Amino acid sequence: MSGSAHMPKASPRIEYRMQAPDASLGEDVLFAVEFGLDQSPVPPRRARVGLKPLTGAGLIEVWHATGPISAGFDGPIRFTHDPDYLAGAIELDEREFGGMERAAAIAYRAIMSFQSRSQHPHILRMWNYLDAINEGGGDAERYRVFCTGRKSGFGSDLATQFPAATAIGRRDATGRLQVYWLAGRAPAQPLENPRQMSAFQYPRRYGPSAPMFSRAVQLPPGLLLISGTASIVGHATQHVGDVQRQLDEIFSNIDSLLQRARQNDASLPATFSHGTLIKAYVRHASDASLVDRALTARLPPGTPYLVLEGDVCRSDLLVELDCQHAAG
Ligand code: 3EB
């Protein structure tokens, strides 16, 4: 853990805000993420996730800055930072790198090299969006190939101090690998879920290279960034073919992580609250209304959330949830 000299003054404040895509961002914004199939150029300080919003169209995810921001480039990486945090993004066309494995390895090697030279060296949370994630059988499945490239690009520096992460598939036949991330001047506390095997220890049957991520990272005080969470207990998929039960299992998994995190930080609410940001990914658009009902029942009235049409990394998983849980 960091000494107090390195503790950030504030956790990054993240919100979902309804905003026209062409409206400019204030100087108090570190980075923003928009969602949709729009093809127009992406303005600076932004990423666009090419998944269709089934609920929450027009919401953008705003990462507020903790102080003055500055922006730059490092090879294929673009970044902005404030005194405490850094937002980075890289997008590679797999076809220029001879396929998924090498594209992922090169992207992650670039990220690790950049981060090791950065004033904000600690990677906290990463999002990965790739084309046709479930294409290919067995170990040739593109998600597994991505995991191999990512693991090789990560190298051995992180040991088990992995960031929280998400990996979701688009269906746009672009061959575009998109990674964006949040890093900090100070490290966060990685957390594992008592109900789930650590992903980086998954058995061989799920692929030759385990997915290198932590179930959550905790940024005291008052912020928990939870990885994409699916209907997995131990290492096994639960409730194949039943989206309602998969969703209930996900809520149990998230609840378990919240209770685990509250042992370290009692300021975190025990249940979903106004500081909870949920991003749901559904494989089938026809499941969105079921997810809507479940989320509106659990979130305080009026809390914005997103349901995106996206493919989960095991073909038997129908739904996955990203969750950022903040106090206050
Ligand atoms: C799982 O728990 C479901 O490869 O970065 C969730 C979050 C999942 C992140 C990743 C994968 C990733 O294994 C899949």
Side-chain angles (χ1 to χ4, degrees):
M1 286 298 292
S2 63
S4 58
H6 297 283
M7 285 304 284
K9 285 185 279 299
S11 291
R13 193 167 66 80
I14 304 170
E15 67 166 340
Y16 287 156
R17 181 203 279 174
M18 199 57 82
Q19 181 172 310
D22 53 356
S24 62
L25 301 170
E27 282 303 305
D28 61 334
V29 172
L30 175 68
F31 194 65
V33 187
E34 57 184 68
F35 304 89
L37 307 178
D38 186 5
Q39 296 291 312
S40 62
V42 181
R45 271 191 293 156
R46 295 215 206 188
R48 180 187 295 134
V49 172
L51 299 175
K52 184 179 181 187
L54 303 169
T55 305
L59 289 176
I60 66 169
E61 180 176 330
V62 176
W63 303 2
H64 289 277
T66 61
I69 56 170
S70 59
F73 291 89
D74 185 76
I77 290 171
R78 58 198 174 86
F79 63 89
T80 60
H81 64 75
D82 66 25
D84 300 312
Y85 297 100
L86 176 143
I90 183 168
E91 286 189 29
L92 297 182
D93 182 339
E94 292 167 41
R95 293 165 299 198
E96 289 176 24
F97 298 91
M100 170 60 84
E101 181 173 339
R102 211 167 141 259
I106 285 172
Y108 271 80
R109 210 168 294 145
I111 293 167
M112 293 303 283
S113 162
F114 168 70
Q115 286 296 139
S116 72
R117 290 176 276 114
S118 166
Q119 300 289 302
H120 304 71
H122 304 284
I123 309 176
L124 308 174
R125 177 70 168 91
M126 306 185 85
W127 286 263
N128 304 276
Y129 297 97
L130 40 142
D131 198 8
I133 194 167
N134 300 127
E135 196 178 280
D139 288 347
E141 185 183 32
R142 279 166 50 81
Y143 171 65
R144 297 186 181 190
V145 175
F146 163 78
C147 285
T148 296
R150 171 172 59 179
K151 188 171 183 176
S152 121
F154 260 146
S156 51
D157 288 0
L158 292 176
T160 58
Q161 297 287 106
F162 297 107
T166 293
I168 291 288
R170 299 183 317 266
R171 290 167 226 162
D172 57 8
T174 60
R176 192 164 49 85
L177 171 62
Q178 175 185 35
V179 185
Y180 64 86
W181 65 97
L182 176 71
R185 197 176 284 271
Q189 175 70 51
L191 278 194
E192 291 302 307
N193 192 330
R195 299 185 88 235
Q196 297 186 294
M197 177 183 282
S198 295
F200 50 84
Q201 295 176 334
Y202 278 168
R204 173 66 182 82
R205 82 177 76 150
Y206 299 102
S209 311
M212 308 313 254
F213 66 94
S214 296
R215 296 295 179 187
V217 296
Q218 193 159 15
L219 290 84
L223 184 63
L224 182 66
L225 303 176
I226 300 180
S227 287
T229 302
S231 177
I232 294 173
V233 177
H235 55 72
T237 298
Q238 309 291 309
H239 320 301
V240 173
D242 186 335
V243 68
Q244 178 68 62
R245 291 174 73 196
Q246 287 199 8
L247 196 51
D248 288 339
E249 201 71 71
I250 290 171
F251 288 128
S252 297
N253 281 338
I254 291 177
D255 187 56
S256 158
L257 261 179
L258 293 187
Q259 305 327 313
R260 173 69 193 82
R262 277 167 48 78
Q263 295 172 4
N264 302 333
D265 181 359
S267 78
L268 290 170
T271 57
F272 287 0
S273 67
H274 286 286
T276 305
L277 293 190
I278 300 279
K279 200 179 291 153
Y281 304 92
V282 292
R283 184 179 294 280
H284 305 301
S286 54
D287 288 334
S289 59
L290 182 151
V291 173
D292 280 334
R293 279 194 296 280
L295 289 178
T296 51
R298 279 184 166 78
L299 289 164
T303 309
Y305 63 87
L306 278 156
V307 181
L308 302 170
E309 185 176 14
D311 290 335
V312 187
C313 63
R314 292 184 189 176
S315 53
D316 54 11
L317 293 170
L318 299 170
V319 57
E320 183 170 305
L321 259 57
D322 279 0
C323 176
Q324 308 184 27
H325 189 65

